[in-house]
Structures are given as C-alpha cells and as structure tokens.
Amino acid sequence: MNKTSVPSSPLDHPVGPTGDTPDAAADRTPAQPPAWSAARLALTAFFAVDGFLFAAWVVRIPDVRAQVAASHSALGLALLCVSAGAVATMPLVGRLCVRYGSRPVTVASLTLLALAVPLPAHTHSVASLGAVLLLFGAGYGAANVAMNSAAVDLVAQLRRPVMPSFHAGYSLGGLLGAAVGGLLAGVLTTAWALALGGLLGLAVTAAAGAVLLRTPAAAPHTPPAGRSTAAPTATGRRGLPHARLLVLLLGLTALCTAYGEGALADWATLHLTDDVHASAGLAAAGYATYALAMTAGRVSGTWLSVRLGQRRLMLAGGLTAGAGMLLAALVPSVPAALAGFVLVGLGLANLFPLAIAQAGAAGGPRGVATASTLGYAGMLIGPPVIGFLADASSLPTALTTVAAAAVLAGLLALAVGGGRRGAARPGTPGGAGDTLRDTPAA
C-alpha cells in the first residue's frame, strides 16, 4: 500500500479539540448538523416505539397462551415463529435498504410491525398464532435492520459516536412498554391493550416518519481535490474480502452479546429463586436491575465512546460483563447476584450497538443485516444452550458461559481494531479509519 497517501493509524496524528485529526477536520462538510438534529430525534423515536411494541406483546404472552390453549412446548414453537420471521426477513431488508434507502424502509417496517401487534389477540389456535407471529417477526426484524442502517448513516453525517443513544431509546421504550402493559393488565383486555399499542405505534411512525423522510440524508463523502481516494467508503468496500471478514467478526461480537442478553432474559429470575434462594419479589427485581443498568449504560454510551474510544469501551464492557456474570453465577448471595447483574447490564450495554454501527460502516445496509442476523442467532441459541448445560451440570455453571461469551465479545473488538491499521484515512465517514478506533470521535 502506498504509505505516502494513507497514514498508518489515527494514533499517528494529533487530535484536534473535536476529536478529529487535521485531515479529518479538513474533510468535514461545512453544513454539519447539530448533535440533536430533527432526524436524530425522529430516529430515536422509532427505536423507542420498536422497544415499546415488542414489550407490549411480551407482557401479554400468558394471556394469549391461555386464549389458544397452548402447552409449553406448543407455545415455544409458536414463539419461535417470531425469530423465524425476523431471521428470514433481515437479509432481504438489507438489499431493500441499498435499493430504496434506509429511511423509507424504516417507515414501512415500523408500519408493518404496528399493524401486526394486535393480531395475536385474535387467534384461537396455535397454528394461527404461529402464522401471525411470523408476520410480527418479519416486521420486527425488518425494523431493526432498517433503523440500524439509517442510524449508521446518521452517525457518519453527525461525525459523533451516537449509536448507543438510539439503542438507549429502544431500552427505554421496552421498559415503558412493560410498565404500561403491567399496569393495564387488569384493566384492559389483551385485544384492547394490543390494539391501542398498535395505534400508538402507527401515530409515532406517521409523525416521526414525516420528519425523517423530509430531512436530507447524508451526502456521499467526496475527498477534496488532490486528496488520495485510496480510502474506500462503506459503499465501495462492501465487496472487498477484508470488509466481509470485518462484518463477520463484528457479527460474532453481536452474537456473543445477544447470547448473554437472551440467556439472562430467560434464566436470571430462575437462578435467583432456585440457586440463590431469593424471594419472588427480589427475583423479579434482579432482572429489572439488569435492564435498568443496560439502559443507563446505553444512555451514557456516547459520552463513554468520546472519552474512551469505541474499541476500549467494547473491551472494558466485555470484561465488566464477564466479571459481573461470574459474581452473579458463583456467589450464592442475593446482594452479590444483584450487583453482578448490574455489572452485566452495564458491560453488555454498548457492545451490540457499537458492533452494528461498525458493521454498517464496513458493509453498508447489507453489513447491518449480516451482523443483525448473527446477533439474533445469539439471542435464539442462548436460552436453549443454557438449559441443556444446566441439565448436564447446574444452572450456575451454565451461566458462566455468558461470562465467557462477554469476554470473547470484548476481545473480538481488539481483533477487529488490530486488523485495520493503515486501512484508511482516519475520520472518513464509514471508512475503515472509523472502525473501532481508539481516537475519541466527538
């Protein structure tokens, strides 16, 4: 590679007050939008309503199960249709985002999800429930790929590491959806609750979609005259073997992170009641503390990315989550377990959003689709793997695999960052120079 035109690393250059190198500052577009632009607010609203709608459905699963008279195994098969619909849709949506743009596909996907949310309340057999959950999963998977693709573009436009803030919106929406759903469980029927949730989703989609679609998207980055174009953009790098390997490694990072999220969602409460001998109330509070810690971690994720750099933040997150999971799994004490779950939530909080952001920078919407699909696979395999290992040994021992996966996710950030020295000019939006750099980007 011609070293006269491509610097070896962002760390070889002084960093300006905004976190940019001098070359990056020279490339900054004059009309950089403010940190909280209308497009960012609208896209955050999409993430929030996505989390709200999913939580609104989850809290009504017991009612729907009674309605269709499903056994545990039959319900498990029906719920698997959500995942099947999502995984089948994600690669297709990546191609649609390339062709039509991420923002219109985001609006269409959230519309489909909002329309699908009320349908489970009107099913009366396991087969019909599975069919509508396929549609629900398709909308959910499409929304996640399209929203993240739009977020990757907006991160490049803002030139700030704000991806965690979007996922904080999702977490806050999920907490709100679960809280509202629980409060209304004894007041509204399942049909009314899900119908109102769907109407709220359509209203937010219409309002936020109008803002998002009329706000100009980021223009492709064009180097100034005389500047080497050796650093390919996200669009130009999608077909390169290096970019594909990068997306794969980032997808594995998302998989390891989602493995822990899925495992804790299904097994944390049982571990607290059966192994730590906590009361039912404390056991419920255990998962709530984990969820709140993850939300707090994502709210502070942009600030931490600026101060530490994305690679250091991901490594620290993986090690923190690993230590927290070992504490929660192996120390038979309620305070220790709760403290461990807080550490797990804080540690895992930013691994997934940063991995998806970097996959989008490396491979565009198709990179987001690939990493999201791998991440969703981790969410799928986590609970059954933990169950199998728990039967073979014990649940605390099985939960230590969450610690191993979290540490591996953090170490993968080192592997990704270490493989890109000299790959591109630092500061290029979507270029390799943005990938897990340690130079803080303001």
Side-chain angles (χ1 to χ4, degrees), residues 41-61:
L41 289 170
L43 193 54
T44 303
F46 274 117
F47 274 85
V49 78
D50 184 54
F52 181 91
L53 291 176
F54 190 79
W57 146 246
V58 167
V59 298
R60 291 291 179 161
I61 288 177

Side-chain angles (χ1 to χ4, degrees), residues 82-111:
V82 177
S83 303
V87 170
T89 304
M90 285 176 170
L92 172 63
V93 174
R95 293 193 289 271
L96 291 176
C97 289
V98 171
R99 182 168 183 178
Y100 299 107
S102 300
R103 294 184 178 187
V105 178
T106 295
V107 175
S109 300
L110 263 297
T111 300

Side-chain angles (χ1 to χ4, degrees), residues 158-268:
L158 293 172
R159 303 182 69 85
R160 295 178 177 89
V162 298
M163 180 63 92
S165 69
F166 295 118
H167 288 256
Y170 176 88
S171 297
L172 289 170
L175 289 173
L176 181 62
V180 171
L183 290 174
L184 297 181
V187 179
L188 295 177
T189 64
T190 301
W192 271 107
L194 293 182
L196 291 175
L199 287 174
L200 176 63
L202 289 174
V204 173
T205 298
V211 174
L212 194 64
L213 293 178
R214 72 167 177 257
T215 306
H221 177 75
T222 304
R227 177 63 57 82
S228 168
T229 58
T233 63
T235 302
R237 294 167 59 239
R238 279 199 296 267
L240 297 179
H242 174 72
R244 292 174 181 171
L245 176 60
L246 191 63
V247 168
L248 178 61
L249 289 174
L250 291 162
L252 291 176
T253 303
L255 185 152
C256 291
T257 306
Y259 173 88
E261 293 184 34
L264 285 177
D266 283 15
W267 294 103

